[in-house]
Amino acid sequence: MGLIEKIKEIEDEMARTQKNKATEYHMGQLKAKLAKYRTQLLEPPKSGPKGEGFEVQKFGNARVCMIGFPSVGKSTILSTLTKTQSLVAAYEFTTLTCIPGVIDYKDAKIQLLDLPGIIEGASEGRGRGRQVIAVAKACDLVLMVLEADKAEDQRRKLTLELDKMGIRLNRKKPDVTITPNKSGMVRITSTIKLTKVDEKLIKNIMQEYKIHNVDILIREDITVDDLIDIIEGNRKYVKCLYVFNKIDKISIEEVDEIARRKDHCVISCNLKLNLDFLLECMWDKLDLVRVYTKKRGNQPDFSDPIVLSNDRNGLMVRSVCAQIHRELVDEFKFAIVWGRSCKFNPQKVGLNHVLADEDVLQIYKSKTKAQLAKQNKQLKGTKHDRKKEEKGDKSSKK
């Protein structure tokens, strides 16, 4: 029996099983088995000819890909927002490979990828879905392009395919830490009350994965699926913006209702409607920060900013230093910042200062051992020269 047949068998058993307190342990073990089989399904073949890939070299400050069913307008969006021309036609599967383009927006360069349309069953190998979804895992943002009149059905199917491939849209990684121990047992520590899983269920799932000696620290109320995601360790948590194209097919009331939802953007490529707002939404979701550098005694360089994505705790001066040069963090002495992140302008800050968009940064380095040695050598040389001059003056007087 192949992997796809095993996956189908477990899915059928899960559909037949009633969900209640008595069956939750059995359902947890089924979910663990299903996750293991899907992980094996995603592994590349060890032998045989390699197919044509979609790998495109990363360029710019961020990478965005468009995912959707065939003929929803992905190629038209690429051609409209970038200078790249992607083949556009009124039939399905016009785009057969990954086509990159670059968006110049707010002094940043955003790489936009037009991917072929995917179909149902993509996670099981139908069409070129696995390659398309693999590219999505390497992106900072996914644009899920949907036809406005078929959006809910398309979004449900696409989210399911992405979920099967280990991509979690607009979700954060569960706050769970699993570390090996030498005690030969599973020890569970929770900082909050768990309402969706209990200790027995967690141990059953760990047993299914043949993990018997770990410490599990749980800091949030997780589900069985969250625990399996942490154990698998190959899940990708990606930001997603839902783009509703062809809004001329639905009523103005429906357009207004969709536009008010979080992470939703309504556009019409044919009518050139709301494309500027789409760029604004992309910028907000990417959460990029522009930092302008300044040399001592000169004006700030506003032509070429350092553009980085915000970390969980905000973009710190440390990250900017590391981006400029890997040794700059070790040589860092202090920095002076002008901008919205300061209580007063300018402000002297350290490595852990959190920067805001469009801040100006001036970095001061401490002298390294080599520089100090060189300086001492120069000073000694200067003293030696002075002594020579003094001796010369005395001899001339005599």
Side-chain angles (χ1 to χ4, degrees):
M1 185 184 292
L3 282 175
I4 295 176
E5 289 77 15
K6 290 179 181 178
I7 290 171
K8 182 66 176 172
E9 186 178 339
I10 293 175
E11 287 176 340
D12 291 341
E13 186 176 349
M14 290 175 65
R16 291 193 304 268
T17 306
Q18 293 184 352
K19 294 180 182 179
N20 53 50
K21 192 71 177 175
T23 61
E24 65 177 357
Y25 302 115
H26 180 61
M27 288 291 289
Q29 288 180 319
L30 289 177
K31 286 181 178 180
K33 285 181 180 179
L34 188 62
K36 287 197 297 184
Y37 287 144
R38 282 181 176 158
T39 299
Q40 292 176 28
L41 191 65
L42 298 179
E43 291 175 356
K46 296 180 180 179
S47 60
K50 295 183 178 180
E52 181 187 357
F54 290 160
E55 185 56 36
V56 175
Q57 185 177 358
K58 190 172 183 178
F59 176 82
N61 307 115
R63 175 183 269 195
V64 179
C65 70
M66 292 182 288
I67 282 182
F69 285 103
S71 299
V72 294
K74 300 186 296 298
S75 298
T76 308
I77 293 173
L78 181 75
S79 302
T80 306
L81 298 183
T82 71
K83 297 177 182 179
T84 305
Q85 292 299 316
S86 184
L87 184 61
V88 178
Y91 52 84
E92 295 184 347
F93 301 107
T94 311
T95 304
L96 298 176
T97 188
C98 180
I99 302 175
V102 178
I103 301 172
D104 291 310
Y105 188 71
K106 292 187 177 181
D107 295 328
K109 294 187 182 298
I110 302 170
Q111 187 180 45
L112 184 64
L113 303 179
D114 178 20
L115 298 172
I118 63 176
I119 57 177
E120 283 188 83
S123 59
E124 298 173 358
R126 292 189 63 193
R128 310 196 75 176
R130 283 195 205 171
Q131 294 161 299
V132 171
I133 296 173
V135 173
K137 282 189 172 184
C139 291
D140 303 298
L141 175 66
V142 170
L143 295 186
M144 188 180 287
V145 185
L146 310 163
E147 286 187 85
D149 56 334
K150 306 172 185 175
E152 294 306 320
D153 184 53
Q154 288 183 352
R155 178 166 62 176
R156 179 183 58 80
K157 291 176 180 177
L158 286 170
T159 304
L160 182 62
E161 294 297 331
L162 292 171
D163 195 71
K164 289 178 179 179
M165 295 285 284
I167 296 179
R168 306 291 182 255
L169 300 177
N170 292 333
R171 286 165 54 184
K172 291 183 179 179
K173 186 177 180 180
D175 197 355
V176 179
T177 305
I178 300 177
T179 53
N181 64 37
K182 296 181 180 179
S183 64
M185 61 183 294
V186 176
R187 294 186 299 201
I188 302 166
T189 306
S190 176
T191 59
I192 62 167
K193 185 179 179 181
L194 299 177
T195 61
K196 299 166 186 174
V197 294
D198 57 23
E199 189 171 324
K200 182 181 175 183
L201 180 55
I202 294 172
K203 288 183 176 179
N204 282 351
I205 292 171
M206 302 305 286
Q207 189 175 1
E208 181 65 38
Y209 278 93
K210 298 180 180 178
I211 300 173
H212 307 294
N213 52 336
V214 290
D215 291 326
I216 305 174
L217 177 59
I218 304 172
R219 301 185 189 89
E220 65 176 81
D221 193 12
I222 61 169
T223 63
V224 173
D225 296 319
D226 292 334
L227 179 62
I228 291 171
D229 286 349
I230 292 296
I231 296 170
E232 288 287 342
N234 59 357
R235 306 308 191 222
K236 181 72 175 178
Y237 298 85
V238 186
K239 298 175 184 177
C240 179
L241 181 64
Y242 301 98
V243 181
F244 286 63
N245 191 22
K246 305 179 184 180
I247 55 175
D248 47 302
K249 292 185 176 182
I250 58 177
S251 65
I252 191 66
E253 290 80 12
E254 290 175 302
V255 172
D256 182 66
E257 192 272 329
I258 294 168
R260 293 177 185 274
R261 299 178 195 168
K262 185 182 177 182
D263 300 327
H264 285 60
C265 180
V266 292
I267 65 167
S268 175
C269 289
N270 292 331
L271 302 177
K272 302 292 188 291
L273 292 176
N274 223 26
L275 294 174
D276 291 339
F277 183 65
L278 173 60
L279 289 174
E280 286 183 29
C281 291
M282 288 170 58
W283 180 264
D284 292 339
K285 287 293 289 183
L286 287 169
D287 199 15
L288 296 175
V289 177
R290 295 163 292 174
V291 178
Y292 300 96
T293 55
K294 178 184 181 302
K295 291 183 179 180
R296 191 175 179 180
N298 296 336
Q299 291 295 318
D301 183 10
F302 291 111
S303 62
D304 187 22
I306 297 171
V307 184
L308 293 172
S309 179
N310 253 326
D311 301 326
R312 178 177 290 185
N313 299 318
L315 179 64
M316 296 183 183
V317 175
R318 183 187 303 275
S319 301
V320 178
C321 292
Q323 178 70 16
I324 295 171
H325 196 279
R326 61 186 179 183
E327 295 180 358
L328 188 55
V329 175
D330 298 327
E331 299 172 3
F332 180 87
K333 187 176 183 182
F334 65 89
I336 296 177
V337 178
W338 294 259
R340 291 184 292 116
S341 68
C342 302
K343 293 181 179 178
F344 48 88
N345 284 307
Q347 181 176 338
K348 185 178 177 180
V349 301
L351 284 171
N352 294 329
H353 177 77
V354 178
L355 298 165
D357 190 31
E358 296 187 300
D359 275 1
V360 176
L361 180 68
Q362 183 173 318
I363 299 171
Y364 288 80
K365 296 193 299 180
S366 59
K367 291 180 179 178
T368 62
K369 291 181 179 179
Q371 289 173 330
L372 288 171
K374 185 178 180 181
Q375 186 177 0
N376 291 333
K377 190 176 181 181
Q378 289 174 345
L379 287 171
K380 287 179 181 177
T382 306
K383 289 179 181 178
H384 185 67
D385 292 340
R386 284 178 183 173
K387 286 180 180 178
K388 276 187 175 181
E389 288 176 4
E390 288 174 1
K391 286 181 180 179
D393 291 339
K394 288 179 180 179
S395 61
S396 62
K397 286 179 182 179
K398 288 178 182 180

